[in-house]
Amino acid sequence: MTRGPGTAGDGAGEVSGAASRAGDGTGEASGTSRASEVRGALGAGGTGPAGAGGRAPSSPPPPGAPSGRTGWRAAAERALYGPGGFYHRPEGPAGHFRTSVHASPLYARAIATLLTRVDAALGHPAELALLDVGAGRGELLTGVLDALATPGQPGAGAGSDAGAGDLAARLRPCAVERARRPAGLDPRVEWRDDLPAPGSLTGLLIANEWLDNVPVDVVEVAPDGVPRQVRVAPDGTEELGDPVPPADAAWLADWWPWPRATEAGLEPEPVRDAGPDHGSDAEPVRDAGPEVWAQPGSRAEVGAPRDAAWARAVRSLHAGLAVAVDYAHTRASRPPYGTLTGFRDGREVRPVPDGSCDLTAHVALDACAAAGARAARAGTPVLHSQRDALRALGLAGRRPPLARASTDPAGYLRALSLAGEAAELTDPAGLGDFRWLCQPVGPVAVADILPLPLPIPPRDGSGPPRAS
C-alpha cells in the first residue's frame, strides 16, 4: 500500500494505494470483481436512504453526549492502513475481491500495448518508466514484462515499431506500494513506498483502482438543511458532527452540487450558496427561494484528498501519460447518497472501519482531472470508458471462427477462452464500465495514443456526454 507525504487529517493529501486485489478467477466469492457489485449509483451497506438498500439519514448526537467517533477519512486511514488494518490482514485483499489485473492476462497485454504507444509518442527515449501506483504485489508489472518478452507482442522485438524493439531493455518498471516487496518479484522491478520526485520520470504512470482507496470524509445534509461532517465509530455507527469546514464546503460547491427538495420532490440540480455563510450554522444551504432546500439525508464524499494525491502523481512525470482507472462519476451525475461501501469475502457489505473489510467509494474523476491539469506541464485530460479504451488497444473479445474448431481444436478452445476474458474486461455492466482518466504531460496527445477522446465535462455539466 502506498501513500504520499500526508497522513489522514493533515490536509497534505495521501497516496493511499490499494494493495493486491487478486481472486481465483472462478467468479465465486473470493474472486468477485468489485465493478460488478458497485456499478449502481447507490452502494449497499449504507449509502442510500432507508428503504433503498442503505441506512437512514444520520441524526445529530444528544447535547453533551460523548461519541468517541472520528470523520470517515481518519477512520478509513486507520482501518485500511493502520496496525492490524485491512491491507495488513494475513490473507490479503486476494481473499476478498479482484480487479482487471487479475481477471485476465489480456489486461497486462493491453497495458503493454499502451506502453509502446507512449514510447513512440515520446520518440523512444533512452529510459522509459512504467510506474504502477498502488501496485499490490506487482501483478500488473509482472504481466507487462511477460508480454514484452513474448514473441509477437508489442515491443518484444521482431515486428515491433522502429526503435521499439529494445523497449524491454530500456524499460524502468517501478512499483509504488506501502506493503513489503513480495518474494520472487522480477528483480528488474524497483519497489518504492512513495512516489518518485516531481519531474523525474518519462513514460507511463498507471493507477489501477488506487484513488478509490484514498480515504475521504463524508458529509450529510442534516434535517435543518445544514451539511455536516459524518462521524463514525469503529463498529460503523454514525452521527452528524460539526458543519462542513470552509475548505470542504468550497470543494463541494465546485464539484458536488446538492440535490434539491421542492414541492414536486427531489430534483438532481445544484443548490447554490447564497452567501459567505455556506456550511455554517447560521443558514442552511438553499437556492434563491425559501421553498427550495438541500434534501436532508443527501450525502457526498469530499474528494479533495484524491485530487491532491492525483496531482502529486501526475507531477512525478516530466513527460508521458498518467492513467487512473476506477469506477467513477462526474459532476453532472453525482450519486445523491454517495457511494461509500465495504467488501469482505467477495461480498459487498456495510462499511465498518474496524479493519475487517475494504472501504471504498467511487471517484470524482473530473475533479481529479482538474487538479492534475494544474500540475506542471500537464495537458488536456480525457475520459474513456474501459470498454472503449481496451478496444482502442486491440482488445475486441470476438469469438474465433467456428471452422477453426475442426482444424485446430486446441487453438480454438484457447481463442474461445481469451474471447471470454476479453468480454469480461469490456462488459459495460461490469469492468467495462470503469473510467480511464488519461492525463498527458509534455509533448504527448491522448488522441495520438487512444482514439475517440472525450474531454472532461465542464463544471456546469454541459458539453459532451460521458463515454459509453
Side-chain angles (χ1 to χ4, degrees):
M1 290 148 285
T2 61
R3 68 178 178 85
T7 57
D10 68 359
E14 291 89 7
V15 184
S16 302
S20 165
R21 296 173 184 158
D24 60 6
T26 63
E28 298 299 324
S30 64
T32 301
S33 163
R34 293 194 307 182
S36 64
E37 300 288 343
V38 198
R39 59 178 178 264
L42 302 179
T47 58
R55 66 168 67 85
S58 305
S59 299
S67 70
R69 295 170 171 85
T70 64
W72 265 107
R73 183 183 178 192
E77 173 72 22
R78 180 176 59 249
L80 294 178
Y81 308 114
F86 178 77
Y87 286 108
H88 295 291
R89 290 168 65 92
E91 75 279 12
H96 300 274
F97 48 80
R98 62 178 181 156
T99 66
S100 301
V101 177
H102 312 99
S104 170
L106 293 176
Y107 189 81
R109 294 183 194 176
I111 299 302
T113 300
L114 178 64
L115 180 67
T116 61
R117 294 185 183 181
V118 171
D119 182 43
L122 293 169
H124 309 298
E127 181 177 86
L128 183 72
L130 174 58
L131 185 66
D132 185 6
V133 183
R137 293 171 182 160
E139 296 94 338
L140 179 59
L141 292 174
T142 298
V144 171
L145 290 173
D146 288 346
L148 295 176
T150 302
Q153 293 298 317
S160 300
D161 293 338
D166 62 343
L167 189 154
R170 293 184 288 111
L171 187 64
R172 177 188 170 188
C174 180
V176 180
E177 181 57 65
R178 186 184 294 182
R180 293 180 178 179
R181 181 187 183 97
L185 184 66
D186 192 306
R188 291 174 291 177
V189 176
E190 179 188 356
W191 196 263
R192 301 177 54 96
D193 62 4
D194 198 2
L195 287 164
S200 61
L201 300 179
T202 296
L204 173 64
L205 181 153
I206 186 83
N208 186 71
E209 292 196 52
W210 165 56
L211 288 171
D212 67 279
N213 280 128
V214 174
V216 293
D217 276 319
V218 178
V219 173
E220 182 175 314
V221 179
D224 60 0
V226 175
R228 294 179 177 272
Q229 294 175 306
V230 176
R231 297 172 64 83
V232 61
D235 65 0
T237 57
E238 293 181 339
E239 68 182 22
L240 297 185
D242 294 333
V244 178
D248 288 354
W251 188 92
L252 291 167
D254 281 344
W255 294 110
W256 198 302
W258 294 105
R260 67 181 186 176
T262 68
E263 292 182 358
L266 183 65
E267 297 183 8
E269 299 179 11
V271 176
R272 301 300 182 188
D273 175 19
D277 291 328
H278 176 72
S280 72
D281 282 311
E283 290 288 339
V285 179
R286 64 175 76 183
D287 210 322
E291 74 284 359
V292 181
W293 298 74
Q295 178 74 5
S298 299
R299 289 165 71 103
E301 292 116 20
V302 182
R306 294 171 173 178
D307 298 350
W310 180 244
R312 184 169 182 262
V314 171
R315 282 195 295 270
S316 68
L317 290 178
H318 170 72
L321 182 68
V323 179
V325 183
D326 243 306
Y327 34 81
H329 44 64
T330 58
R331 191 180 188 276
S333 58
R334 301 286 188 231
Y337 302 105
T339 60
L340 177 68
T341 192
F343 277 86
R344 182 192 303 116
D345 298 330
R347 299 282 188 266
E348 189 175 9
V349 298
R350 176 170 170 258
V352 177
D354 61 358
S356 68
C357 66
D358 184 36
L359 299 170
T360 177
H362 294 205
V363 182
L365 270 184
D366 50 349
C368 293
R374 291 191 294 268
R377 293 173 53 83
T380 303
V382 172
L383 277 179
H384 283 286
S385 69
Q386 174 155 298
R387 179 181 177 86
D388 288 344
L390 291 182
R391 286 184 168 185
L393 292 169
L395 197 62
R398 298 187 182 90
R399 293 172 61 93
L402 185 59
R404 185 177 176 183
S406 58
T407 59
D408 181 14
Y412 174 79
L413 291 176
R414 287 194 299 271
L416 190 64
S417 176
L418 290 175
E421 294 174 10
E424 180 184 3
L425 290 171
T426 58
D427 180 4
L431 293 171
D433 192 44
F434 273 39
R435 289 298 183 264
W436 284 37
L437 166 58
C438 302
Q439 198 110 41
V441 180
V444 173
V446 177
D448 296 335
I449 298 171
L450 292 172
L452 302 175
L454 180 69
I456 302 294
R459 292 184 184 181
D460 62 5
S462 63
R466 295 172 66 190
S468 61

